[in-house]
Amino acid sequence: MTQPKHSRRIRNAAIVGVSTALLGVTAPVTASATGGSGPEALTWSACQGTGLDPRQECATLDVPMDYADPDGPRIEVAVSRIPAEKPDARRGALLLIAGGPGGSSLNDPSGKGQKIPQDVRDTHDLIGFAPRGLAPSTPVSCGLEHGDLATSKLRPWPAPDGSIDANLDTARRMTDACVRNGGELIKHLSTADEARDIDRLRAALGERRISAWGVSYGTYVGAVYAQLFPQHTDRLVLDSVDNPDPSRVNRAWLAAHEQGVEDTFPHFAAWASEPGNPDRVADRAADVRPLFLRLAAQLDREPVPWPGANPEELNGNVLRQTMLDSFAAPSRYPTLARLMRAAAAGTVPPAPQAPPEAVLQNVAAVGAGVLCNDVAWPSDPAGYEKDVVASRAKYPLTAGMPRNAMLCAAWPYPPREAPVRITDRGPSNVLLVQNERDVNTPLSGARRMREALGRRAVMVTVDSTGHDAYLANGNACGDATVSRFLATGRPPGSDVYCD
């Protein structure tokens, strides 16, 4: 993608200073407060990058950095499309909304979008975008220390004895870096503002209504968009569904890992004990859980050096984080099993490959901004300490992490508006699809979204394992039900269970 032109834009949000003396809460921003003149038509050109479908085109969308100040500084959002393959039959646009926060769907029209059935691709432009703050949109960075970019540090795993003192220190250090380096833009990263960006994209595309396929965090973005702009929604698929609890939002998503791991571990244990499995770790499924807990405790006491990794040791929390990462799809189970086998032997596999540090910095900053700006997190350590003790006792596999303090506990910027409450007000055009065993967005959270949407939604529950259901870890029944809805707009008459 070509370098965007900037006019009164933040050229690089990472180098714009911000002072805590300038902090303040603006008046709430309404859905209609998109401000200023309507968005200009998009100018499409060839995309930069490799492996893209030659039909994919790219453009930049100009949006207000602050929707409460629509005539103030502007930022750009990078967008992409593959036009409908049968222009004469074209119905509209299907927006692909990535997870995260910090995920991009910019290349998805060339990627997973091509898995969508032909009759949908014939009639819909496939639209992708990099959310505000995420390169090649106007980028943001916190300039975190290298060690703080480790996934096992970004997630608040307590110390082996359950202490959270180091987590609180990390939260303060990371927050200080975001305040120092994140610029003005980091205060304007939120789900509601992403939804407003989407509506400006819809208008720039010339669409009265837009369809969407949101995955993981993208389901919350889609639900918020449908709440703020119900009249502009066509067919909405929410896949691997977040809990919309307006009092907790992101804290509820973090806490959901407790149940997500419990739902998924038996499936992993059955696989990891199968005869003939070259990555088998135990003779019986019942032995896998105690083995994992024993290895994690052993690594808590005696970490194994791991040159080239981040951190450069295999400790208990790295093993636990690998469990979370591996449970996202059964195809990833061998990664955890091999690490368990290495740990049992006192060795390590080759260090995992990591994305470029600049990419990690950008993704971490976007995630921090959205997670911390969407809702206020408690700042009292005592509450986290109590919750971690309770979590460790009930859910030993996750060792208290899901209820611990992230950097948001030290975030100095109060939310600029209250979280959007998802309700049943609006058209009945939402289809939820959810795996029964999902480590990141468990079924319990999807049921909360189903309850909140009420008559607006129908839910397809799939007897499958993994994070991402439609055209990924789901099954033929679930895929067919979603595909039929996207093609025809007709959802099932009631909730569906796909065995």
Side-chain angles (χ1 to χ4, degrees), residues 127-150:
I127 307 296
F129 70 108
R132 58 170 50 212
L134 191 69
S137 299
T138 305
V140 66
S141 174
C142 289
L144 301 177
E145 296 178 8
H146 174 73
D148 288 338
L149 292 171

Side-chain angles (χ1 to χ4, degrees), residues 229-281:
F229 303 99
Q231 72 279 16
H232 293 157
T233 60
D234 192 2
R235 302 165 184 176
L236 267 61
V237 171
L238 306 184
D239 173 359
S240 305
V241 187
D242 269 327
N243 182 343
D245 182 351
S247 66
R248 302 179 71 206
V249 192
N250 318 308
R251 291 177 58 220
W253 306 343
L254 186 68
H257 286 94
E258 294 172 333
Q259 191 60 51
V261 166
E262 292 294 336
D263 291 345
T264 306
F265 201 97
H267 190 266
F268 167 75
W271 172 89
S273 58
E274 287 179 351
N277 181 352
D279 298 310
R280 192 182 192 194
V281 301

